[in-house]
Amino acid sequence: MDALPPSIQGDELISTDPATGEVVGRVRVTTPADLDAMVERGWQAFHQSGWKSLLPHRRALVLQAIADGIAAEKEALATLQMRDNGKPLAECRGMVESAIGTFRYYAGVCETIETDVTPQRGDYVSFTVLEPYGVVACITPWNSPIMNDATKVAPALAAGNAVLLKPSEDSPLLAPELARIALKAGLPEGMLQVVQGRGAEIGAALVAHPGVRMVSFTGGTTTGRAIGRTCGDKLIPAALELGGKSPHVVFADADLDHAVAAVVAGIFGSAGQSCVAGSRLFVEAPIYDEVVKRVIERAKTLRVAAPDADGVEMGPLASFHHRERVIRFVDRARSEGGNILCGGAVPEGADYARGAYYLPTVIDGLPTESLTCQEEAFGPVLVCLPFRDEADLIAQGNATAFGLACGIWTESFKRGWRVGRALEAGSVWINTYKQSVTTTPFGGFKNSGIGREKGIDGLRLYAQVKSMYFGLHEQPLSVAR
Ligand code: NDP
């Protein structure tokens, strides 16, 4: 591992393929002076390019052209993301499709979004319009770059803003491709620029920059809190999509074939590097042993392989240093007294020697209060807990700082409704898991975030409401009214 190149050398950021350790590409790191110039260019584009005053249906044409541009390079982009962060090619293809769908959807929102004519209470007509903020910062993590970039950039542009997009230093290669495609599609120069480099340095400088008027962030809770503090000082809005420790619940009346398949997919898909990973499995006590046994059997047969191998189900983790974090997480679970029921190790053999692989891992025997049950592994690590009844489940399910998502398996729709309403989560999946569509709001309760992306309000996130009044009075206004 020490032989791997550091991710920043001189003024270059180096992307390393986590399946092989090979260098995939290099980008130039943004300096503080570059950042000043980019913010200035963003404001110039905002004021002078005509984008903000373009009628929404004209903006929609450009967003559609960006979607076409991504579609034309679908396979190349999916392959690049696979090499940039190690996700299986099939998942990367799905993420490129999602990015295309997101640009098309926000083109549609441009065409259809409505503002309000507000009730008249005097001699005037009043209504609202949406105004862009100006230059906004979008900061994305490494787990699904093209998809996360699109989720922020499409509505931010649709609302008329100029965007500074900061991808993670661990997956820097997709954002420049998106900016290139957008420019080719007719987006005015300067409306989408990419900031590269370390989050703690240039990312923090971007958030703190006086020229940035709004921040949209997806990433870890600690970083989100720091960004929220800076935005609070600046009195600018921050939309924060943060981490999770989502409960995935199986009641005794559930369809167990479906439930077990979903539990396995919910945690081991994307090698667990998903904010909505169902990382805490709760099983009703009478069927606990059977469900856990079936989950372990399936976890042991998952095909862990190179991201482009036939039939691959789990690729490597996104970086070698992230694998170190996962190893430490499982070591701590051991020291807390957890039973490692499967996995808990780096796989052996020539196929895995060069990559950041880790085995699907299932743990039990720990109480809800343990750090293993409280903190996010952001890797292929499932912790299993039994529950007695609904009250016990709800108490344990809500006993973390997070509140991003949950899954509930039961044949009783009334119980699904009750438990779904009682669990503190931004997304509730009943007899399904990890569905996420661009038309439906997404975000977290508690430490999982503030604000909702996606859906029509995903555009409003990047706009400020202005109230307009047209006077109709026949007499001059008097001082005392
Ligand atoms: P981080 O919070 O470390 O990083 C996320 C992004 O923020 C990266 O671009 C990072 O840059 C940047 N960044 C880091 N520090 C700062 C800072 N001080 N100021 C501004 N930007 C900064 O998270 P991870 O990259 O480790 O991503 C994993 C986390 O993201 C998990 O906790 C996961 O749950 C969460 N996540 C949440 C999602 C959601 O929608 N709720 C979706 C996906 C992930 P750099 O990488 O260069 O340091």
Side-chain angles (χ1 to χ4, degrees):
M1 211 173 308
D2 289 334
L4 288 170
S7 63
I8 291 190
Q9 279 179 356
D11 64 354
E12 281 189 328
L13 182 56
I14 297 165
S15 165
T16 306
D17 183 340
T20 61
E22 287 163 9
V23 171
V24 186
R26 296 162 188 267
V27 295
R28 195 172 164 276
V29 171
T30 304
T31 65
D34 294 337
L35 181 64
D36 287 341
M38 290 166 85
V39 173
E40 176 62 28
R41 201 174 309 131
W43 277 108
Q44 270 172 18
F46 178 73
H47 287 303
Q48 292 164 17
S49 72
W51 180 255
K52 75 170 169 168
S53 52
L54 205 59
L55 290 170
H57 69 291
R58 300 260 174 223
R59 271 187 219 150
L61 289 176
V62 177
L63 296 180
Q64 286 285 10
I66 296 174
D68 291 341
I70 300 171
E73 300 185 31
K74 200 158 53 180
E75 197 58 19
L77 291 168
T79 305
L80 186 65
Q81 177 170 302
M82 176 190 76
R83 299 207 63 209
D84 204 19
N85 83 344
K87 275 203 172 178
L89 189 55
E91 283 188 44
C92 293
R93 287 184 179 127
M95 280 166 193
V96 176
E97 284 295 349
S98 157
I100 296 166
T102 299
F103 275 95
R104 295 211 191 288
Y105 174 71
Y106 282 105
V109 174
C110 273
E111 294 272 17
T112 55
I113 194 166
E114 292 183 346
T115 51
D116 301 317
V117 176
T118 53
Q120 205 180 347
R121 301 198 75 164
D123 290 337
Y124 51 76
V125 182
S126 53
F127 54 91
T128 61
V129 292
L130 295 175
E131 299 281 11
Y133 283 99
V135 172
V136 303
C138 296
I139 303 177
T140 54
W142 39 260
N143 61 338
S144 312
I146 186 83
M147 187 177 87
N148 282 324
D149 293 351
T151 298
K152 295 190 187 305
V153 170
L157 291 176
N161 298 285
V163 177
L164 292 183
L165 171 62
K166 154 76 179 83
S168 167
E169 66 194 278
D170 286 323
S171 58
L173 300 183
L174 276 299
E177 296 301 305
L178 181 59
R180 175 183 59 75
I181 289 168
L183 193 63
K184 197 169 154 207
L187 185 72
E189 201 151 2
M191 291 303 297
L192 175 58
Q193 302 175 79
V194 179
V195 174
Q196 297 278 18
R198 292 227 192 283
E201 294 163 11
I202 202 69
L206 171 64
V207 174
H209 199 288
V212 169
R213 293 271 178 87
M214 184 266 174
V215 177
S216 176
F217 168 77
T218 295
T221 296
T222 306
T223 313
R225 198 170 267 129
I227 289 174
R229 269 197 297 270
T230 305
C231 291
D233 280 347
K234 286 176 68 182
L235 287 179
I236 63 168
L240 304 173
E241 300 291 349
L242 309 176
K245 190 78 179 176
S246 299
H248 204 158
V249 181
V250 184
F251 281 97
D253 68 344
D255 177 329
L256 291 194
D257 289 343
H258 280 260
V260 167
V263 165
V264 170
I267 181 64
F268 299 123
S270 303
Q273 302 164 115
S274 159
C275 52
V276 293
S279 50
R280 287 185 298 154
L281 169 62
F282 287 99
V283 188
E284 200 165 7
I287 58 160
Y288 180 81
D289 289 344
E290 183 193 350
V291 170
V292 172
K293 181 167 147 278
R294 288 176 65 172
V295 168
I296 294 166
E297 277 166 9
R298 181 70 187 98
K300 282 181 175 167
T301 63
L302 282 174
R303 178 154 154 69
V304 180
D308 56 354
D310 281 345
V312 57
E313 293 180 290
M314 220 180 85
L317 295 175
S319 64
F320 291 86
H321 59 90
H322 183 55
R323 181 171 69 173
E324 287 303 309
R325 287 204 288 248
V326 173
I327 290 172
R328 282 199 299 274
F329 186 93
V330 175
D331 284 347
R332 191 182 60 189
R334 279 193 185 91
S335 68
E336 285 194 297
N339 308 315
I340 311 299
L341 303 174
C342 72
V346 169
E348 291 174 358
D351 288 350
Y352 303 116
R354 292 190 306 145
Y357 294 93
Y358 197 78
L359 287 171
T361 298
V362 180
I363 302 172
D364 86 345
L366 288 169
T368 284
E369 316 75 64
S370 63
L371 294 173
T372 307
C373 295
Q374 291 292 321
E375 294 185 1
E376 191 178 34
F378 216 62
V381 182
L382 178 68
V383 60
C384 309
L385 296 131
F387 67 90
R388 284 188 311 277
D389 52 25
E390 265 180 54
D392 181 31
L393 178 263
I394 290 162
Q396 291 196 66
N398 287 339
T400 74
F402 295 110
L404 193 57
C406 69
I408 302 161
W409 290 86
T410 175
E411 290 297 290
S412 160
F413 75 87
K414 289 181 184 167
R415 173 159 43 209
W417 171 260
R418 270 195 312 272
V419 174
R421 294 302 301 266
L423 287 173
E424 296 166 328
S427 295
V428 175
W429 292 299
I430 300 167
N431 293 335
T432 183
Y433 200 77
K434 225 176 170 182
Q435 308 291 346
S436 185
V437 285
T438 194
T439 50
T440 306
F442 179 78
F445 282 27
K446 303 196 290 188
N447 285 8
S448 292
I450 299 172
R452 294 290 178 272
E453 295 191 293
K454 305 190 177 185
I456 291 176
D457 287 343
L459 188 150
R460 294 185 203 277
L461 196 61
Y462 297 93
Q464 36 199 347
V465 175
K466 183 180 277 180
S467 299
M468 308 275 298
Y469 294 74
F470 276 97
L472 301 174
H473 17 81
E474 303 291 348
Q475 302 299 324
L477 291 178
S478 57
V479 173
R481 282 186 285 147

